[in-house]
Amino acid sequence: KDISLKNQLFLVCSAAIPGALLRDQLNSSFLVNILGVFFMGCIAGLKLNSRAQLFLLIGFCGSFTTFSGWMMDVFALIRGGFLFQASLLIGSTLMFGFLSLTLGFLLGKTIKQLFRLYRHRMFDPFGAPMNEGIGASLDGESSVNVPLVAELV
């Protein structure tokens, strides 16, 4: 189902504000970029629906990560005559960024597989079958829907 432009703008903007505020609090373009690509990798591994991707990838991660801030850091080092440190910042950001993205993707993929296994076995979060224990009604029918979090993935 297509998402209207109005809804797309709402999803992106509502996630961009906390992303930008968090980036400002961390005050390190290296750290926010590494954390941002890790989070992007998790989202990619989860294969979320398009609304969640708009909200998390474009909105939150797009405003949280900062290519321009990273470039300004590199430029300031070069202008100050710190060519080795500038090269180190470029190399380490690319290396750790790719590693972080890969680890995030593998984590997201693992979480996705665990949710599939969880949904397949129809167990509640506490390990009891849905017709026993937590979430069961007196007539043996489950009073709890299949976990809502699993619906996102």
Side-chain angles (χ1 to χ4, degrees):
K1 185 177 177 183
D2 287 337
I3 305 169
S4 71
L5 180 59
K6 180 179 159 184
N7 287 339
Q8 288 178 30
L9 287 172
F10 175 76
L11 288 168
V12 170
C13 292
S14 60
I17 294 168
L21 291 173
L22 183 58
R23 179 184 70 214
D24 183 57
Q25 293 299 311
L26 293 176
N27 199 27
S28 166
S29 61
F30 177 79
L31 181 61
V32 299
N33 287 331
I34 300 304
L35 290 174
V37 296
F38 177 80
F39 192 55
M40 288 176 177
C42 286
I43 296 164
L46 287 169
K47 297 181 182 176
L48 299 175
N49 65 41
S50 59
R51 291 176 193 271
Q53 286 185 18
L54 273 172
F55 184 80
L56 295 170
L57 285 177
I58 307 300
F60 182 81
C61 289
S63 68
F64 179 65
T65 58
T66 172
F67 180 78
S68 58
W70 177 57
M71 285 289 101
M72 286 299 294
D73 291 346
V74 171
F75 183 69
L77 288 170
I78 293 171
R79 278 190 71 195
F82 301 102
L83 295 176
F84 177 75
Q85 289 88 340
S87 299
L88 190 61
L89 179 58
I90 292 169
S92 63
T93 301
L94 292 174
M95 182 180 69
F96 287 114
F98 185 75
L99 179 63
S100 183
L101 177 71
T102 303
L103 292 174
F105 179 80
L106 293 173
L107 176 64
K109 190 174 175 182
T110 300
I111 291 170
K112 176 79 170 183
Q113 290 170 346
L114 289 173
F115 273 122
R116 282 187 179 148
L117 178 66
Y118 171 78
R119 289 180 76 183
H120 177 70
R121 292 190 179 171
M122 295 298 288
F123 282 86
D124 74 9
F126 301 99
M130 291 301 282
N131 60 356
E132 301 173 12
I134 298 171
S137 66
L138 293 175
D139 62 359
E141 294 295 320
S142 174
S143 62
V144 177
N145 198 355
V146 175
L148 296 177
V149 176
E151 296 297 324
L152 293 175
V153 293

